Amino acid sequence: MIKSKGRPSKQLTVHRFQVYEGVEISGHRHRLLNRHVISSLSHSEALKELKAYLDQHYDLSQTKLITGSDNGSGYQPSVFDDIAGMVQSHQHMLDRYHLNRKIRTRLSLMSKALVNGLIKAIDHGHFDQLPAYLDTAESLALDHETQEDVRQLRAYLKRNWDSIRPLGDSKFAKVIHSLGSCEINHRRYTYRLKHQGRSWTKAGLSAMLRVIDAQQNGNLPATLITRPEFAKPLSPTIPRLIPSLLRANHEIHQGIRHGSITADTSYSSPVGHLAAVFNNSI
């Protein structure tokens, strides 16, 4: 969410997607392979660009697609099913960043052992242990508000169950390390767009998003020298110019200036040299 210019100030929503081919793990650091980011103020435009990028760079009929999101509005599993199209296979997951944050928020008053045990059970695919953890949390709740938090967490896990279950599958052991990385990479945008109380017009924000995307994708120089292809030729609107020309005030211009070169001057002076040139040419 980015603050817009004007009064009253509104919040502009930036929609972002990123594509990558895997994750390279080096110690505690993870690097996404061939990452490509797409950002826009329009969710439909961002989806359109994402589909075009996938079609241009991958043979989807021979591609195994794994998607991840927070399952929020605009990023539900059905949206990614539509993006997948005719891929060889598609698996959608709820990213660990949002899942773990939801668990820790709802069980903030519970012991760390209980919270970490629930997260570990999900990570290792021990889904049969989840009811025991949730029942224990509900029994330890001391007030109605805490009980409501446990109830909402249970409903959240049930609602997103199809996206949570793959997290414990050994086939995706390496992949899940990169889930949630889109949120981490928001920093590139927030540092430039939100610090010091900055606000933007839609046109300015859209342009800056393009610049940041090009920097992230490593093609900023090529983008800057690319000549845009316009859908329609640019032409002046002649009918609109005629009334303004008719209303224009006539300006009086000074006519031709007359001058002469005097003959009675020193021949060594510049004017004397010029006079000599003219006299010799006659």
Side-chain angles (χ1 to χ4, degrees):
M1 304 297 293
I2 306 296
K3 185 168 64 173
S4 67
K5 286 186 178 295
R7 295 184 181 278
S9 178
K10 298 180 180 180
Q11 294 291 328
L12 300 174
T13 303
V14 177
H15 302 276
R16 295 192 59 241
F17 293 92
Q18 67 178 15
V19 181
Y20 55 95
E21 299 176 5
V23 58
E24 182 180 71
I25 302 176
S26 177
H28 295 288
R29 298 183 64 85
H30 302 81
R31 186 177 70 87
L32 302 182
L33 302 177
N34 294 328
R35 184 171 72 100
H36 181 84
V37 297
I38 297 170
S39 306
S40 177
L41 295 180
S42 169
H43 184 267
S44 60
E45 287 297 322
L47 280 177
K48 183 178 179 181
E49 290 188 29
L50 176 60
K51 292 178 181 179
Y53 178 82
L54 292 175
D55 290 340
Q56 292 172 4
H57 291 81
Y58 301 98
D59 180 3
L60 295 182
S61 64
Q62 302 296 323
T63 302
K64 295 181 179 180
L65 182 64
I66 301 172
T67 57
S69 71
D70 62 352
N71 287 5
S73 178
Y75 301 90
Q76 308 96 316
S78 58
V79 173
F80 292 93
D81 286 336
D82 180 62
I83 294 173
M86 300 298 293
V87 296
Q88 185 182 54
S89 65
H90 174 222
Q91 178 64 61
H92 181 75
M93 301 182 184
L94 176 65
D95 69 62
R96 295 175 66 183
Y97 174 87
H98 287 93
L99 175 61
N100 293 347
R101 187 176 67 173
K102 180 68 70 173
I103 293 174
R104 295 187 187 281
T105 300
R106 293 301 182 191
L107 302 183
S108 60
L109 299 180
M110 300 295 167
S111 66
K112 289 185 177 180
L114 177 63
V115 176
N116 293 336
L118 177 58
I119 293 176
K120 186 176 181 180
I122 293 175
D123 287 345
H124 289 79
H126 300 153
F127 299 106
D128 56 326
Q129 300 179 7
L130 267 61
Y133 280 103
L134 294 173
D135 291 342
T136 301
E138 193 169 6
S139 66
L140 294 175
L142 300 178
D143 52 40
H144 175 73
E145 184 176 355
T146 307
Q147 291 177 349
E148 180 64 17
D149 284 338
V150 177
R151 187 194 68 78
Q152 291 188 14
L153 177 60
R154 193 189 297 270
Y156 174 82
L157 295 176
K158 182 179 179 180
R159 183 171 63 253
N160 295 284
W161 190 249
D162 290 339
S163 303
I164 294 175
R165 180 178 291 276
L167 292 175
D169 194 325
S170 58
K171 294 185 298 183
F172 305 119
K174 293 183 178 181
V175 177
I176 59 176
H177 286 287
S178 62
L179 294 179
S181 59
C182 196
E183 295 284 341
I184 297 173
N185 289 319
H186 281 345
R187 296 173 186 171
R188 300 283 187 177
Y189 297 82
T190 55
Y191 286 1
R192 180 63 183 87
L193 301 175
K194 300 183 71 170
H195 275 196
Q196 300 173 337
R198 293 175 183 142
S199 58
W200 300 81
T201 62
K202 281 189 176 181
L205 180 56
S206 296
M208 186 54 66
L209 288 174
R210 292 294 186 185
V211 171
I212 299 176
D213 282 352
Q215 287 179 328
Q216 295 294 290
N217 296 330
N219 58 6
L220 179 59
T223 302
L224 291 177
I225 64 175
T226 300
R227 188 172 184 177
E229 296 293 336
F230 295 101
K232 296 181 180 180
L234 299 178
S235 60
T237 54
I238 300 299
R240 295 184 180 180
L241 292 176
I242 293 176
S244 61
L245 292 175
L246 293 177
R247 291 194 302 268
N249 296 325
H250 179 68
E251 296 182 3
I252 300 176
H253 298 280
Q254 187 174 4
I256 299 175
R257 291 192 177 187
H258 297 274
S260 61
I261 299 176
T262 179
D264 52 350
T265 184
S266 173
Y267 285 101
S268 61
S269 65
V271 176
H273 284 298
L274 183 61
V277 171
F278 287 154
N279 291 334
N280 294 332
S281 63
I282 297 175

